[in-house]
Amino acid sequence: MNAEISAAWNKVQSMINSFIVLLPNIVLALIVFVLFFFIARTIKGLVKRLTRSRRHARNLGLVLGRLAQGLTILLGLFISLSIVIPSFKAGDLIQLLGISGVAIGFAFRDILQNFLAGILILLTEPFQIDDQIVFKDFQGTVENIQTRATTIRTYDGRRIVIPNSELFTNSITVNTAFENRRIEYDVGIGYGDDIERAKQLILEAIHSVDTVLKEPAPDALVMELAESTVNIRARWWIKPPRRADDLTSRDRVLSEIKNKLVENGIDLPYPTRQILFHDQTEETDGDRTRQREGWPAGKNSVPKPRSISGSLRRLAELRAQRDDNGQVPSQTAKDS
């Protein structure tokens, strides 16, 4: 028993002595790794500063900066392991990374998918930082493009984090991809109004707004003959194409169009609907044989028009006959 305790104690003392011997190397390895970590951050920041002033190289700078940071940290890790374990070789690290990479690939498939999608987004640049995009139900300004996800700031002051794989495999609308942007709105005028006069007034109202571009020129096109209106689509261009400029231009242009049309007597009707009650019309409604709605074509027998009061009186007579006889007469039933 004493021999076993003594052997165990000797083993512990040997481990402690080995740790004490390696302690300077461990401290030196930690210092080296921390030094490489700060060097990696410095390299990343330097690459970002060099590409910050160039819009089309900004995303590429993010990719290069992150890759340089990762490679520098990996180099620092290798050197630190070589200091602690002098027999450690680069081949051992590569073998270790190869074996663990397969396991990590299965365990973190979604994370790796987002990472690769983020790299492709940064390289292909379908959108850039500060662009305003529309993705499904989300609209906002791109704040940051990370290797895992992209963050956008919505117009009502919220932050949305979207996985890069979703952005890479779905359709995105980039509202600020070009310098100019076209805005359009349908204006409904009455069927009795002069269409050409209304189009001229709409163009005059659009041209009176100084934020509207002269080239490409605004236009007004008849787009639809709706139920209650003739719809004219007003289209104009603005620069820059950001959301705030869109709303400001839309507010001013539509206000000018409304005021211009009203001042010149152009009707802006609201939806109306006509309902014909053929069994309850007055005698002055016209010839029932010429009314196409409600009665099958080709029949000569057209019911005589009745007023509402007459229909109610006829209904009361039918009910009185039913009460007296206990049933509706055949002729009465036929008339009804």
Side-chain angles (χ1 to χ4, degrees), residues 7-278:
W9 175 247
N10 291 333
K11 189 173 183 179
V12 170
Q13 282 185 329
S14 176
M15 294 175 60
I16 294 175
N17 293 333
S18 299
F19 177 76
I20 293 174
V21 172
L22 289 176
L23 186 60
N25 293 343
I26 294 175
V27 173
L28 180 60
L30 290 175
I31 295 174
V32 171
F33 183 77
V34 171
L35 180 62
F36 270 87
F37 181 79
F38 283 105
I39 291 175
R41 293 186 60 181
T42 303
I43 294 175
K44 179 183 177 181
L46 179 62
V47 174
K48 289 179 63 177
R49 283 194 298 270
L50 292 176
T51 57
R52 183 177 300 167
S53 59
R54 301 180 181 181
R55 174 178 173 84
H56 295 288
R58 191 179 304 173
N59 288 350
L60 182 60
L62 289 175
V63 176
L64 295 178
R66 287 167 183 168
L67 289 177
Q69 183 185 25
L71 292 176
T72 305
I73 292 176
L74 185 62
L75 178 61
L77 177 62
F78 172 70
I79 295 175
S80 300
L81 290 175
S82 298
I83 293 174
V84 176
I85 310 173
S87 62
F88 187 80
K89 299 179 180 180
D92 299 332
L93 180 61
I94 294 174
Q95 184 178 4
L96 177 62
L97 292 176
I99 296 174
S100 60
V102 177
I104 292 174
F106 282 105
F108 301 97
R109 181 178 57 185
D110 293 338
I111 295 177
L112 292 177
Q113 184 180 2
N114 290 326
F115 176 80
L116 293 176
I119 296 296
L120 292 174
I121 288 174
L122 290 171
L123 289 176
T124 57
E125 294 186 347
F127 56 87
Q128 301 174 345
I129 294 176
D130 293 333
D131 271 336
Q132 294 184 343
I133 65 173
V134 179
F135 175 70
K136 295 184 178 180
D137 296 331
F138 306 119
Q139 299 186 41
T141 305
V142 178
E143 280 188 323
N144 193 13
I145 304 174
Q146 301 174 353
T147 52
R148 188 194 67 84
T150 296
T151 58
I152 65 173
R153 183 180 68 254
T154 61
Y155 302 126
D156 55 355
R158 295 179 294 171
R159 174 176 293 171
I160 306 297
V161 181
I162 306 174
N164 286 329
S165 59
E166 291 286 328
L167 291 173
F168 191 74
T169 56
N170 289 278
S171 300
I172 304 172
T173 302
V174 184
N175 289 330
T176 53
F178 305 101
E179 293 183 354
N180 301 341
R181 180 178 178 182
R182 190 180 70 186
I183 305 175
E184 58 185 35
Y185 188 84
D186 290 348
V187 180
I189 65 172
Y191 272 89
D193 294 317
D194 187 344
I195 294 178
E196 294 301 324
R197 175 61 174 164
K199 291 166 64 174
Q200 179 184 357
L201 294 173
I202 290 174
L203 291 176
E204 291 178 2
I206 296 175
H207 283 294
S208 66
V209 179
D210 54 4
T211 58
V212 174
L213 296 180
K214 304 303 179 183
E215 291 294 334
D219 54 15
L221 306 172
V222 176
M223 299 301 296
E224 184 182 10
L225 300 178
E227 294 181 354
S228 306
T229 58
V230 176
N231 292 336
I232 301 177
R233 180 163 297 173
R235 306 191 303 179
W236 67 96
W237 293 81
I238 63 170
K239 178 181 179 178
R242 305 191 73 82
R243 171 73 170 181
D245 305 289
D246 177 7
L247 294 177
T248 301
S249 177
R250 192 182 297 268
D251 170 70
R252 295 182 60 185
V253 169
L254 294 184
S255 298
E256 292 293 331
I257 290 177
K258 189 266 182 184
N259 294 333
K260 186 68 117 177
L261 294 179
V262 172
E263 289 174 1
N264 289 270
I266 302 297
D267 188 20
L268 300 176
Y270 52 84
T272 58
R273 178 168 296 177
Q274 181 180 9
I275 301 176
L276 300 177
F277 294 95
H278 289 287

Side-chain angles (χ1 to χ4, degrees), residues 312-322:
L312 294 177
R313 183 168 53 252
R314 179 59 177 167
L315 180 60
E317 294 174 354
L318 293 175
R319 288 181 176 178
Q321 294 178 7
R322 184 184 296 111

